[in-house]
Amino acid sequence: MVYLILIASCTFSLSSQEKKQYIVLDPGTELYLFPEKKSEVLRRLSFGEILSSENQKEADSKFQLLTDKDGLTGWVDSRALFRMGSKGSYPVITKAIEKLLYQDSGPNELESVFTYLTKIEEGPIFQGNEYLFLKIRRLVVLQRYAEVLQSPEYRSKSRQKLEDLLKNNPTELGVYSKTGNWTDTLSNAPEGSKLKVRPETFWKVAEAYPNSKPGDFAAYLAVKYTPEIRCGRDPICVLQDEENRRLKYLLLQPNGNYAPIFSSHLEKRLLHFSKDRETLVCDSKLPKESGLKNFRNKVQELPARYGKKFYSKLRVIEEECLKK
């Protein structure tokens, strides 16, 4: 009796090991009754869904016979799948997400990717930096999803989805108006307001992981999604804007991938005001002295190489703006 139990146990173990697993990379992929596209569609598959196969041999065909988590078996187009195994799935999933982000994806596809990224947990499949990068990409997908829902093609039918999205993600999404203000509701929002991912969401991740690759990626996105203030010829306004964007990035990631680009952009903006004293009009409604002091203090926290870029230009602005 014991011998039979051991045999059964070993057989179950072997059959479990023989199961191959596949991940769906194309949201909306059909699970067919038969291996042909004219066949009945049993259901549509979601991005990141895991399917299994008990075939002992690697099937080299246009379709794979697979089973979903509920035990439903059908045929799936092989081009929409990735075989999970010894080779890590992170690069393949990331590439698939980037492809969906930058091609003409509709709201259903983006919603499927967003749902997948919301559900992933740190564990045996994704750990450390890979997990953090996927969680940051979740915010990028959320931003793109909101943009598509608000595009002319979909916005007339998307009001409820936008309301639900805002309700379910209140700390990550906000309504941004043309005047530069954020609110928590779409109701009575000024004309032209847009539902967007709050920049603070990216900054939080960047601040939690300074001097790291995920933190660098999050800080770059934080700069990208923090709206630039229209300052015109007001140098104090420009300093305040840069303090909340590129200078903030440099403080978190002085050696980051985007540090040379952002420091160069910041230097050019300062140069625009400092290259000709006679054209520098420091007519600002913002507090001049505190604004200049805050900016200088933060520049002093940067490595010395940045001081060489910024100090001479900042000094001209200080001298012209603090004239008695």
Side-chain angles (χ1 to χ4, degrees):
M1 182 68 179
V2 173
Y3 178 75
L4 290 174
I5 292 172
L6 285 171
I7 290 290
S9 175
C10 291
T11 303
F12 175 77
S13 176
L14 286 171
S15 64
S16 297
Q17 289 175 5
E18 287 167 1
K19 285 188 177 181
K20 301 184 184 76
Q21 288 192 319
Y22 294 81
I23 187 167
V24 178
L25 299 178
D26 190 358
T29 293
E30 295 89 352
L31 183 70
Y32 292 108
L33 181 60
F34 297 109
E36 57 182 19
K37 293 200 172 182
K38 293 181 180 179
S39 174
E40 177 187 348
V41 176
L42 300 176
R43 60 177 287 255
R44 294 185 182 277
L45 304 169
S46 302
F47 182 91
E49 192 169 340
I50 304 296
L51 304 170
S52 61
S53 168
E54 295 185 8
N55 291 338
Q56 292 186 15
K57 294 182 179 180
E58 185 73 34
D60 184 17
S61 64
K62 294 180 179 179
F63 290 89
Q64 297 283 349
L65 181 62
L66 303 174
T67 304
D68 70 9
K69 61 181 176 62
D70 296 320
L72 183 64
T73 299
W75 295 88
V76 184
D77 189 331
S78 298
R79 293 171 297 180
L81 303 166
F82 172 69
R83 164 79 189 281
M84 299 178 73
S86 56
K87 186 179 178 182
S89 56
Y90 172 77
V92 178
I93 289 172
T94 302
K95 186 177 180 180
I97 292 171
E98 293 299 313
K99 180 182 176 182
L100 287 163
L101 276 173
Y102 297 111
Q103 69 183 23
D104 191 21
S105 298
N108 292 337
E109 290 87 354
L110 293 167
E111 182 181 18
S112 184
V113 178
F114 176 67
T115 301
Y116 166 73
L117 292 174
T118 298
K119 290 180 178 178
I120 64 167
E121 296 180 357
E122 189 167 18
I125 299 177
F126 303 116
Q127 297 180 21
N129 283 356
E130 289 185 354
Y131 171 75
L132 290 173
F133 273 123
L134 288 175
K135 281 301 181 183
I136 296 166
R137 279 187 172 84
R138 171 185 171 275
L139 297 173
V140 179
V141 173
L142 178 57
Q143 172 68 29
R144 182 66 185 139
Y145 180 34
E147 288 173 0
V148 170
L149 287 175
Q150 294 170 101
S151 65
E153 185 179 353
Y154 297 104
R155 65 186 172 199
S156 61
K157 302 175 183 178
S158 299
R159 179 72 185 195
Q160 189 56 54
K161 277 205 168 187
L162 290 166
E163 294 278 8
D164 292 341
L165 205 57
L166 183 56
K167 180 182 176 182
N168 295 330
N169 303 276
T171 61
E172 297 171 334
L173 289 170
V175 181
Y176 183 73
S177 69
K178 289 182 178 180
T179 57
N181 296 317
W182 289 88
T183 57
D184 299 324
T185 177
L186 284 164
S187 302
N188 302 318
E191 187 177 350
S193 297
K194 293 286 186 181
L195 184 65
K196 294 184 176 185
V197 173
R198 295 179 184 271
E200 292 80 10
T201 310
F202 291 104
W203 285 121
K204 264 185 193 175
V205 180
E207 288 163 358
Y209 302 96
N211 293 313
S212 71
K213 290 181 179 180
D216 187 32
F217 183 45
Y220 158 72
L221 292 169
V223 174
K224 179 179 178 180
Y225 290 116
T226 299
E228 184 172 329
I229 301 171
R230 294 181 180 180
C231 294
R233 297 179 61 80
D234 183 349
I236 305 302
C237 174
V238 168
L239 294 181
Q240 193 175 84
D241 180 48
E242 290 294 345
E243 189 178 326
N244 293 321
R245 298 174 66 247
R246 296 186 182 100
L247 181 57
K248 191 171 182 179
Y249 171 92
L250 292 172
L251 286 165
L252 290 168
Q253 297 285 341
N255 302 309
N257 287 333
Y258 309 94
I261 298 169
F262 288 155
S263 63
S264 178
H265 286 175
L266 175 49
E267 185 182 21
K268 285 178 182 177
R269 278 192 99 181
L270 295 178
L271 182 61
H272 174 74
F273 289 98
S274 61
K275 63 183 178 180
D276 188 352
R277 287 175 182 264
E278 293 181 1
T279 61
L280 175 55
V281 180
C282 199
D283 184 18
S284 179
K285 295 179 181 179
L286 298 168
K288 297 178 184 179
E289 190 169 348
S290 60
L292 287 161
K293 184 179 179 181
N294 288 340
F295 192 87
R296 174 174 278 276
N297 287 342
K298 290 188 176 180
V299 169
Q300 287 174 338
E301 295 176 27
L302 294 170
R305 65 182 182 276
Y306 292 112
K308 293 177 182 178
K309 282 176 171 282
F310 306 145
Y311 279 137
S312 60
K313 293 126 184 120
L314 181 59
R315 191 179 304 114
V316 172
I317 296 172
E318 285 175 328
E319 290 171 356
E320 291 301 315
C321 288
L322 297 179
K323 282 180 177 179
K324 302 296 183 184

